Amino acid sequence: MAVNTQFSIAVHVMAGLAYRCDKDTTSGHLAMSVNTSPSFVRRVLARLSKAGLVETATGKAGACWLARDAKKISLLEIYRAVE
């Protein structure tokens, strides 16, 4: 997929994580909200995690959450993470 698609999905994922504010959000939950596969969401989450924007827990009961306050995360940071 193109970077533009990854960016828009990454922004949606970040907004979803900010909205849910809990630590039991899975790639499956996020994938349903953007109508894509959980594996694609996991690839986007891996890039966001590498950039320090999200934290993840792996395994069958894996989850993801924002690494810091949503107010302190810019769209430029998200774009650079998935670029």
Side-chain angles (χ1 to χ4, degrees):
M1 293 191 158
V3 171
N4 290 340
T5 303
Q6 288 186 8
F7 174 65
S8 63
I9 289 176
V11 170
H12 186 96
V13 164
M14 296 294 285
L17 291 173
Y19 178 75
R20 290 193 55 129
C21 296
D22 54 14
K23 294 188 178 187
D24 65 347
T25 305
T26 66
S27 59
H29 291 127
L30 295 168
M32 282 190 282
S33 72
V34 292
N35 198 26
T36 190
S37 69
S39 63
F40 180 72
V41 170
R42 282 191 295 273
R43 287 194 300 268
V44 171
L45 285 169
R47 290 176 178 221
L48 294 170
S49 177
K50 186 175 181 183
L53 300 175
V54 299
E55 294 180 6
T56 59
T58 58
K60 186 174 181 178
C64 51
W65 57 92
L66 294 179
R68 58 183 196 253
D69 186 20
K71 293 177 184 179
K72 296 182 180 184
I73 298 174
S74 71
L75 289 174
L76 181 59
E77 288 179 289
I78 298 170
Y79 177 79
R80 287 181 177 158
V82 296
E83 183 180 304

